Amino acid sequence: QVQLAESGGGLVQPGGSLRLSCVVSGFNLDYDAIGWFRQVPGKEREGVSCMSTSDGTIHYADSVKGRFTMSRENANTVYLQMNVLNPEDTAKYYCATSPDPCLAVLGRIYASGMDYWGKGTLVTVSS
């Protein structure tokens, strides 16, 4: 069983920054991809970024490219640095792992294959 725990969310003004953390724990931590996703109630979940654990390749959604940066501290901890935040970034952010490679097509990140999810951390961008 794999557990994921996100942290770092909060209230930030437009133009501000936040850094989210995701800690992965449990047994059999042999995942091929780890990603960040976000969701607003009543809207479809959106992929934000995805990292291939084999070679470190990172994919970003077009909506966050140039503003968000995903990084990995060690085998069990990843971050999402979010800069120049705007109200449209308000959402609950989740990290998830997959035994399959990232699925990123035409500027979108897909959750197919993501089988373990954290409970999320809320990011609110508002003045």
Side-chain angles (χ1 to χ4, degrees), residues 4-61:
L4 295 93
E6 305 93 338
S7 62
L11 174 63
V12 63
Q13 291 188 339
S17 298
L18 278 177
R19 188 177 80 157
L20 305 183
S21 301
C22 173
V23 176
V24 185
S25 61
F27 294 98
N28 194 23
L29 302 181
D30 185 20
Y31 48 90
D32 201 41
I34 183 166
W36 285 98
F37 298 82
R38 65 187 182 184
Q39 190 165 24
V40 176
K43 291 192 175 181
E44 196 174 312
R45 179 174 54 199
E46 178 187 14
V48 174
S49 64
C50 187
M51 175 188 287
S52 168
T53 56
S54 60
D55 62 7
T57 300
I58 303 173
H59 306 271
Y60 295 98

Side-chain angles (χ1 to χ4, degrees), residues 38-114:
R38 65 187 182 184
Q39 190 165 24
V40 176
K43 291 192 175 181
E44 196 174 312
R45 179 174 54 199
E46 178 187 14
V48 174
S49 64
C50 187
M51 175 188 287
S52 168
T53 56
S54 60
D55 62 7
T57 300
I58 303 173
H59 306 271
Y60 295 98
D62 283 350
S63 58
V64 306
K65 200 172 291 183
R67 300 187 298 122
F68 289 13
T69 303
M70 184 176 184
S71 61
R72 194 179 190 192
E73 177 176 313
N74 52 45
N76 299 341
T77 304
V78 296
Y79 301 105
L80 184 68
Q81 177 67 41
M82 307 186 295
N83 298 328
V84 196
L85 285 161
N86 58 62
E88 290 70 38
D89 297 315
T90 294
K92 198 163 190 180
Y93 284 71
Y94 301 85
C95 60
T97 59
S98 172
D100 301 321
C102 293
L103 182 57
V105 180
L106 297 177
R108 297 188 67 176
I109 311 293
Y110 293 90
S112 300
M114 295 291 171

